[in-house]
Amino acid sequence: MAVDHTRAPVLEALETYRREGLLAFTPPGHKQARGADPAVREVLGDAVFLGDVLASGGLDDRLTRGRVLERAEELMADAVHAEHTFFTTCGSSLSVKAAMLSVAGPHEKLLIGRDAHKSVVSGLILSGIEPVWIEPRWDPERHLAHPPSAAAFEKAYADHPDAKGALVTSPTPYGTSADLRAVAEVCHRRGRPLIVDEAWGAHLPFHPDLPSWAMDAGADICVTSIHKMGSGLEQGSVFHLQGDLVPPEVLKLRADLLGTTSPSVLLYAGLDGWRRQMALHGKELMGAALDLVTGLRSAIGQIEGLHVEGRDDFCGPGLADDFDPLQVIIDLDGLGITGFQAADWLRAERRIEAHLADHRRLGAQVTHGDDRETAGELLSALRDLARVAPELRPAPKVEVPPPSELRLAQSRSPRDAFFGPAENVPVKKAAGRIAAEMITPYPPGIPAVLPGERLTEPVLRYLRTGKAAGMNLPDPSDPELETIRVLETEEE
Ligand SMILES: Cc1ncc(COP(=O)(O)O)c(C=O)c1O
């Protein structure tokens, strides 16, 4: 039967709900805005409250006989070439955990690229899955990690034939991708599933000039944040499934452990609407975004002191396999300032928010929501930034260790270390101790330290100097990073 992508079941059901004027003696207690504080209504607008209804016993009937959500998920699956799609309203932070739980259980092994997001690490802590860390491909010159190679997964399976599957992050928040087809083949030769954390890849299925999409590359499960590169609302995420290595009912059961019983219909509507927009106009919208970014990248490249990182910098032997040009990553080395300084200056002086900021780079994500005007504003702000850079110098120095020193040894499982007896010690005395918490520069959100890793002086120096230079570290127990939570006892 032909699939009709002009339909949007969640949005249509919401319209019907309003048209029929259903009167709810159910949550949410604001009762279609009537009970909400007028001051809140003024800021948020009533549309937010009108779209905020119960998913079952509201949007759909008590027994979900209208199959509203199911139909929306089926349409999404069709649009992105998956067999099954699941909507969630707790971000990819939930989706990725659901995916992990559907592949491995407590004390079972999962091969995971060490450049994973912190939500993967919290999935390990909650589930007791044992990580076998796979090294990303490090670019020592740029101090940047790209997704691991298929060969690295091959070797890890040879060393750990009992591993239940693999998880790779692709694209990374810097836009660099793995050869997903090759990684999937490595997994499938052993009858094991591949999970792709494709949080940054919502747009990939909709244009042939973008890096390959996990479902097309043969992955078994992929996780996508529709709010990152797509036009869903914050927290709207999906996971897609294909093949017979992970039964859909297992994925559903395991996801059910994590999800809310009160999903936001607003977020469902955002997912549903994005799918319709992309199924009908995706190629054209993504094509326009790619054209826009090509011009923008080359104009930024003309600004003295700025280098826009591209395929030549990120892809090649020992580096990434592909690259998403919509992530405009700008190396500021030539200006002698940090990404933290640049991001703060752009917000304070030009009201522009950059996305990524690290010790030497600034990242601006461009989407189909941008146009010549927004790109022009970014460009002119960057020209001004280059002009004022001498006033921002000297930049505080972040002591970034070489890749070999950045990687810590996993001495305990993340779960055992997180729940073990712990104490806080001064950072100066923490080298040699086993971390009992995560420490994550954000964005991009890849933990520099995770529970169970043995701390070293170079990594502690990196975090201390980074923090002093403006690095955002949202998760350690001591926000000032004067102390670190470590395991009390260390018997092997
Ligand atoms: C690679 C990766 N995976 C997962 C997540 C979690 O996504 P969400 O913010 O939708 O929970 C992020 C968020 O930044 C991410 O970068």
Side-chain angles (χ1 to χ4, degrees), residues 380-448:
S380 106
L382 288 170
R383 286 194 180 117
D384 293 345
L385 173 70
R387 251 194 310 275
V388 302
E391 294 162 31
L392 302 175
R393 294 199 290 256
K397 181 146 178 53
V398 185
E399 294 185 39
V400 189
S404 58
E405 289 184 13
L406 203 51
R407 274 291 280 117
L408 300 175
Q410 188 85 49
S411 302
R412 289 282 195 290
S413 82
R415 182 191 181 90
D416 289 351
F418 187 84
F419 290 111
E423 60 180 336
N424 291 338
V425 297
V427 155
K428 292 204 171 80
K429 294 194 172 161
R433 303 293 298 269
I434 295 176
E437 64 178 345
M438 261 190 268
I439 309 180
T440 312
Y442 214 103
I446 300 157

Side-chain angles (χ1 to χ4, degrees), residues 23-351:
L23 188 57
F25 288 90
T26 69
H30 59 69
K31 304 278 179 122
Q32 292 282 281
R34 293 187 301 277
D37 181 350
V40 175
R41 288 173 74 169
E42 203 178 312
V43 176
L44 293 186
D46 280 354
V48 172
F49 294 101
L50 296 177
D52 189 39
V53 300
L54 277 187
S56 50
L59 184 77
D60 207 338
D61 73 9
R62 188 173 61 79
L63 296 175
T64 57
R65 279 170 283 215
R67 296 183 62 251
V68 174
L69 178 61
E70 254 177 274
R71 286 186 289 124
E73 290 175 334
E74 284 164 11
L75 285 164
M76 176 75 91
D78 181 78
V80 304
H81 323 138
E83 286 165 19
H84 306 272
T85 289
F86 302 82
F87 287 6
T88 81
T89 60
C90 302
S92 292
S93 299
L94 178 142
S95 305
V96 81
K97 292 184 185 78
M100 292 164 70
L101 287 177
S102 70
V103 167
H107 312 300
E108 292 180 335
K109 291 181 189 166
L110 191 62
L111 310 182
I112 309 178
R114 178 58 180 83
D115 56 339
H117 185 254
K118 65 190 264 85
S119 53
V120 171
V121 177
S122 55
L124 295 172
I125 293 170
L126 292 170
S127 66
I129 294 171
E130 302 278 344
V132 174
W133 294 117
I134 312 297
E135 285 308 304
R137 284 170 290 184
W138 292 99
D139 179 341
E141 196 190 315
R142 291 184 178 75
H143 288 287
L144 193 64
H146 300 301
S149 65
F153 282 98
E154 179 79 59
K155 175 163 186 328
Y157 272 122
D159 294 344
H160 300 273
D162 53 339
K164 294 290 179 189
L167 187 157
V168 67
T169 305
S170 177
T172 68
Y174 288 86
T176 65
S177 309
D179 182 348
L180 293 178
R181 193 169 292 283
V183 180
E185 269 169 29
V186 166
C187 292
H188 294 164
R189 238 180 286 130
R190 291 168 172 83
R192 301 297 195 209
L194 172 65
I195 302 167
V196 181
D197 180 349
E198 213 161 21
W200 291 98
H203 56 311
L204 299 184
F206 303 108
H207 201 283
D209 296 344
L210 288 164
S212 79
W213 161 245
M215 289 288 108
D216 295 339
D220 299 85
I221 306 179
C222 92
V223 163
T224 299
S225 295
I226 304 299
H227 60 94
K228 291 195 194 307
M229 292 300 289
S231 25
L233 298 168
E234 282 289 298
Q235 281 187 229
S237 170
V238 291
F239 41 104
H240 307 291
L241 172 67
Q242 66 181 355
D244 50 15
L245 294 177
V246 181
E249 64 278 12
V250 170
L251 184 50
K252 189 165 184 281
L253 277 178
R254 310 252 164 123
D256 183 52
L257 294 178
L258 304 165
T260 171
T261 48
S262 309
S264 165
V265 164
L266 282 169
L267 302 199
Y268 283 164
L271 299 173
D272 196 27
W274 152 258
R275 183 271 317 152
R276 179 170 63 182
Q277 183 186 21
M278 284 300 110
L280 300 181
H281 311 294
K283 190 154 179 229
E284 172 199 334
L285 289 171
M286 288 304 145
L290 285 167
D291 287 346
L292 180 72
V293 86
T294 305
L296 177 64
R297 296 171 71 87
S298 103
I300 298 172
Q302 309 290 315
I303 303 173
E304 209 180 317
L306 297 186
H307 173 69
V308 183
E309 312 260 34
R311 204 169 285 278
D312 290 349
D313 305 288
F314 286 162
C315 303
L319 300 174
D321 296 294
D322 208 346
F323 174 63
D324 177 1
L326 294 174
Q327 302 295 354
V328 181
I329 309 293
I330 305 164
D331 194 327
L332 304 165
D333 218 32
L335 294 185
I337 60 172
T338 64
F340 312 127
Q341 289 176 297
D344 288 349
W345 187 89
L346 286 172
R347 182 181 158 100
E349 304 297 331
R350 290 293 178 275
R351 311 310 294 153

